[in-house]
Amino acid sequence: MSFFLPSIIRDALNKQVVDMYVTPNYSKDYIFVGDLVQTTLQLMKREESGIYNIASGENTSALEIAGVLKNTTNCSINWHVKEDIDFFEAIDVSKISEVIDFKPRNVLNDLKSMVHEYSQVINN
């Protein structure tokens, strides 16, 4: 399990600095675990079988994530990597979208909420 987003939120709020060990262009798919669970339950209820990609269907870059953190916490970002070695294609979610009304949440919007919620916890 990856704790990437909670870890960088914590650093942004507590240290006012986020160390990124990827390039700004590094991008991958992020999905809210609640969307994953809900989608799995919907497929089970419909008694669907087969292989389904449960993902957001779009990649989000490290630069986009860093931008949200900078705008919401006024932290600085340190980029430690000059060249990407991992590349991720966007995940095709068309099959699942044909079977259920699949509209996953947006990680950037969720990130803003996560920052707000975490800041409330540490300030109380």
Side-chain angles (χ1 to χ4, degrees), residues 104-120:
R105 295 163 53 156
N106 179 283
V107 69
L108 297 176
N109 292 336
D110 282 351
L111 188 59
K112 293 172 193 172
S113 298
M114 290 170 68
V115 168
H116 176 73
E117 290 171 16
Y118 189 80
S119 65
Q120 287 185 320

Side-chain angles (χ1 to χ4, degrees), residues 53-115:
N53 292 330
I54 304 176
S56 73
E58 58 185 47
N59 286 352
T60 302
S61 73
L63 183 63
E64 291 172 298
I65 291 170
V68 170
L69 291 176
K70 285 177 77 169
N71 290 336
T72 57
T73 69
N74 201 30
C75 70
S76 60
I77 308 293
N78 293 330
W79 300 98
H80 294 280
V81 175
K82 302 277 189 250
E83 188 175 325
D84 287 318
I85 58 170
D86 294 322
F87 300 92
F88 300 94
E89 296 292 325
I91 298 173
D92 182 3
V93 295
S94 60
K95 181 178 177 183
I96 201 163
S97 297
E98 293 170 1
V99 176
I100 62 171
D101 184 28
F102 182 65
K103 293 184 175 62
R105 295 163 53 156
N106 179 283
V107 69
L108 297 176
N109 292 336
D110 282 351
L111 188 59
K112 293 172 193 172
S113 298
M114 290 170 68
V115 168

